[in-house]
Amino acid sequence: MLESDALMDRRGDHESDQFMDVIEPLLGDAYRLAYGLVRSKSEVDDIVQEATVKAWKYRAGLRPNSPVRPWFLAIVANQCRQAMRSRWWSVIRHPDLAAFGGHESGRPGDEVEQVRQALRRLRHADRLVLVLRYYLDQPYEEIAATLGVSPAAARVRTHRALARMKPIVVTEESSHG
């Protein structure tokens, strides 16, 4: 191997190590975001892995001095959307959690499950903003950076997503009550 090739390999390894040093602390949020959007533990690893590969591939597109977290989480969210659109995703059947124990009103888990069911029925954009805000506890400024909108638009999208979810939760409650 030529000396320049060895240098390129070492530089590539160093760049790869630097990239992973930046991405690794974000992986926990990436996994939580992916799980919040697809609700399938078996798919989350593949989604985050593919998003990490895409982030590496498109790392030159990140503007200098821009925060990495919103950029990476946007890639994860897009990977979730692609996974849910793909043909194999539509074939997967998720077990109906209600069938495993019925619903008894007043149980704390029922409310959580109703919210989860309602989130699954929302469109991707609404589910994404709610997961970012309430599951990852992100401020509107960070949600805005992830979505590529202003903080005011992030607030409006969150409010609208909650408004769309409310009738679904109310319908779920009345059908189980």
Side-chain angles (χ1 to χ4, degrees):
M1 179 169 12
L2 297 172
E3 188 177 9
S4 62
D5 291 339
L7 180 61
M8 294 275 285
D9 286 345
R10 273 189 250 128
R11 189 174 62 208
D13 287 345
H14 180 68
E15 187 179 356
S16 172
D17 290 344
Q18 285 181 325
F19 175 80
M20 285 313 296
D21 287 346
V22 171
I23 293 296
E24 219 168 310
L26 306 175
L27 291 177
D29 285 344
Y31 279 97
R32 287 196 313 274
L33 174 62
Y35 184 73
L37 292 173
V38 301
R39 305 303 296 179
S40 171
K41 289 180 184 178
S42 64
E43 300 303 321
V44 168
D45 286 334
D46 290 339
I47 288 169
V48 173
Q49 183 176 16
E50 186 65 29
T52 303
V53 169
K54 285 184 179 182
W56 169 255
K57 184 177 177 181
Y58 298 112
R59 68 193 180 280
L62 179 62
R63 285 178 265 140
N65 300 321
S66 294
V68 176
R69 186 174 187 239
W71 173 78
F72 182 60
L73 292 180
I75 293 171
V76 172
N78 286 333
Q79 191 60 37
C80 289
R81 182 176 35 240
Q82 287 177 350
M84 290 169 47
R85 283 183 180 171
S86 69
R87 187 168 174 255
W88 58 265
W89 181 264
S90 64
V91 176
I92 295 173
R93 301 250 187 251
H94 296 286
D96 182 5
L97 296 176
F100 290 114
H103 281 273
E104 297 172 25
S105 60
R107 286 192 351 202
D110 286 347
E111 290 177 8
V112 172
E113 185 55 31
Q114 288 170 358
V115 169
R116 286 181 182 154
Q117 293 284 342
L119 274 172
R120 279 191 282 262
R121 293 179 59 194
L122 290 175
R123 63 190 183 116
H124 176 79
D126 290 339
R127 190 170 49 248
L128 173 59
V129 73
L130 293 177
V131 167
L132 289 171
R133 179 68 179 156
Y134 298 106
Y135 193 64
L136 294 180
D137 200 28
Q138 289 188 352
Y140 290 114
E141 292 75 20
E142 204 165 330
I143 294 169
T146 300
L147 300 178
V149 299
S150 70
R155 277 188 183 87
V156 168
R157 288 182 184 195
T158 302
H159 177 74
R160 288 180 179 165
L162 284 171
R164 287 184 190 105
M165 192 169 112
K166 186 177 180 179
I168 296 170
V169 172
V170 169
T171 302
E172 290 285 321
E173 285 177 2
S174 62
S175 69
H176 296 296

